[in-house]
Amino acid sequence: MQSPQKANFPKIESKTKTEHTFSTETTETTEFYNRVFEPFEALLEGLYRKEGLCKMYESGFENYITTKIRKAGGRAFKWVCPGMTGAPDRICMFPAGRIIFIELKRPGLKDGRSERQKKVCRLLRSLDCDVRRIGEKEEFVEMMKEAGYEV
């Protein structure tokens, strides 16, 4: 049995964010690039930009929040609880002992929490813990103001 041959694709060398050249520059590869990659890049830019604001996924939103909390003098630790599913994403600790549990959701979702996550939030609230579901920048700014910090 013969081993399959590897496809011989041209290497792409990046010059800038959107300008690429192929090491084996042919009319065929240039046409392929223009037909496939340029519209794809334009589509992505259109999907992620609205009135100059970049829409974020949950991970990007999480990075934004942890950075702002750190600048305010607090810490936002990732909470991984091996024995319990549905735990909030972050434990945010601020000076003077203020602790807030945050369940982060991608901006634009109405709720997005599973039944297990809702149950864990109810459990933490029954223990007088401050638990928040944050999915928009405005909700985060409001939470920070309530905690006594400007963003």
Side-chain angles (χ1 to χ4, degrees):
M1 185 170 182
Q2 293 180 344
S3 61
Q5 292 181 343
K6 290 185 178 179
N8 199 6
F9 293 110
K11 293 181 181 178
I12 300 174
E13 299 170 10
S14 291
K15 289 184 177 179
T16 64
K17 183 180 175 186
T18 57
E19 185 181 335
H20 303 285
T21 59
F22 291 95
S23 59
T24 57
E25 194 68 44
T26 66
T27 313
E28 187 178 305
T29 55
T30 304
E31 286 175 8
F32 176 77
Y33 173 78
N34 291 339
R35 189 169 31 90
V36 176
F37 291 108
E38 283 182 358
F40 183 69
E41 286 176 356
L43 175 66
L44 286 178
E45 278 192 42
L47 289 174
Y48 296 118
R49 301 212 179 275
K50 182 180 179 182
E51 298 174 16
L53 300 174
C54 183
K55 287 189 174 182
M56 294 183 236
Y57 285 112
E58 186 177 330
S59 61
F61 191 49
E62 197 166 357
N63 290 338
Y64 167 80
I65 285 175
T66 55
T67 302
K68 293 294 183 182
I69 290 173
R70 184 175 281 261
K71 285 182 181 178
R75 294 291 181 265
F77 298 106
K78 181 88 172 157
W79 190 13
V80 180
C81 194
M84 181 176 74
T85 59
D89 296 319
R90 295 281 172 170
I91 301 174
C92 302
M93 299 179 188
F94 295 95
R98 177 89 192 249
I99 297 174
I100 302 173
F101 294 89
I102 297 180
E103 178 62 42
L104 293 166
K105 290 298 171 190
R106 186 179 75 230
L109 290 180
K110 287 187 177 180
D111 188 5
R113 294 180 299 169
S114 68
E115 288 303 316
R116 180 67 182 160
Q117 288 173 323
K118 291 176 185 176
K119 184 176 180 180
V120 170
C121 286
R122 285 192 301 269
L123 171 69
L124 291 170
R125 285 189 180 114
S126 72
L127 298 170
D128 291 329
C129 295
D130 190 357
V131 183
R132 309 284 180 101
R133 181 236 171 250
I134 296 180
E136 298 292 334
K137 198 174 183 179
E138 294 79 24
E139 294 171 340
F140 173 67
V141 170
E142 182 181 319
M143 181 202 78
M144 291 295 282
K145 284 181 182 176
E146 288 177 18
Y149 299 98
E150 288 295 320
V151 178

